[in-house]
Amino acid sequence: MTTLAGKQVLVVGGTHGIGRAVAEAALAAGAVVTVAGRSGSALPGATQIAVDLAAPAQFAGLLAGLPVFDHVVFTAGARIGSPKFADADLAEWRLGFEVKFFGTIALLQALLPRLAVDASILLTSGVLSRKASVGGITKATLNAATEALGRNLAKELAPRRVNVVSPGVTATDIWGSGAARDDKLAGIAGNLPAGQVVQPADLAQLYLLALTQPAMTGSVLDLEAGALL
């Protein structure tokens, strides 16, 4: 395995949730971290830039002056619901793809000249890509497309490495706050083989593994507390 010490790491979506946990773990591992996002509190020790994946025309200007990156992590996405197919709002469905899928593609295209020749790229999908459910179709199709993107980029961008992390239910602020959040997550945990949901700090270690394992590319890495069983 390689080390992140002194490496330039960009975390898109790194101002909150899973991305923030990844950025914190990379900082702790000695990386020079830049976080990008639309909102969120500053992360001490990291450089922060404002990026909206739904506005690709801004990318060229935003990237000017940034360093060459050794690793790029994408965790950003639009918050979309979980409707049944008959009730799915196509505008919301399109927004999900516009931000997490097409926005990632556009930003990655803009970043290619700023990636080291041996850089790694890490995308984020989700357990619904391979777990069929009533109400999961919008997120399932988006996550499955992300996994297909990662595998194809691993071929096309080699020797740069491309991998995908697929989390299960993770205890982030997307679930709200307070007792209602805790009760909701406890109910989900009770139906999982591991008896718990995924913790952001634990998930971040899987991201760091993908960044530092030089023989890993084209992989989809699961951390989902047994939800796929």
Side-chain angles (χ1 to χ4, degrees):
M1 292 177 65
T2 60
T3 177
L4 287 181
K7 298 295 186 180
Q8 293 284 348
V9 177
L10 171 64
V11 184
V12 182
T15 56
H16 61 276
I18 292 171
R20 188 176 182 90
V22 174
E24 290 172 343
L27 280 170
V32 181
V33 177
T34 301
V35 296
R38 292 191 305 164
S39 61
S41 57
L43 178 60
T47 299
Q48 187 163 337
I49 59 174
V51 170
D52 183 354
L53 288 180
Q58 303 174 4
F59 293 166
L62 289 170
L63 298 177
L66 291 179
V68 172
F69 290 106
D70 300 293
H71 305 283
V72 179
V73 179
F74 289 87
T75 65
R79 292 193 177 185
I80 58 176
S82 301
K84 292 182 179 180
F85 176 72
D87 303 320
D89 183 338
L90 286 181
E92 184 180 50
W93 207 333
R94 290 189 182 101
L95 175 63
F97 270 85
E98 195 64 37
V99 175
K100 184 172 179 176
F101 188 69
F102 293 114
T104 293
I105 289 172
L107 182 54
L108 189 50
Q109 285 178 325
L111 278 167
L112 285 177
R114 310 197 76 83
L115 294 181
V117 294
D118 59 348
S120 72
I121 299 159
L122 193 49
L123 309 179
T124 302
S125 62
V127 67
L128 290 179
S129 65
R130 282 161 289 140
K131 184 177 178 65
S133 64
V134 175
I137 193 167
T138 54
K139 294 173 183 175
T141 53
L142 177 53
N143 289 329
T146 298
E147 292 177 8
L149 175 65
R151 288 191 294 269
N152 281 273
L153 288 178
K155 279 279 192 177
E156 185 162 337
L157 299 184
R160 292 166 174 155
R161 298 183 298 108
V162 185
N163 294 290
V164 183
V165 170
S166 178
V169 173
T170 305
T172 66
D173 59 3
I174 196 172
W175 296 97
S177 60
R181 170 187 183 272
D182 294 342
D183 289 345
K184 187 180 297 183
L185 290 174
I188 295 171
N191 291 312
L192 292 170
Q196 63 180 39
V197 298
V198 178
Q199 296 301 315
D202 295 333
L203 182 59
Q205 294 305 311
L206 185 59
Y207 280 81
L208 263 58
L209 171 67
L211 297 184
T212 57
Q213 174 48 260
M216 183 181 291
T217 192
S219 296
V220 177
L221 308 176
D222 294 307
L223 190 63
E224 30 68 69
L228 289 173
L229 295 176

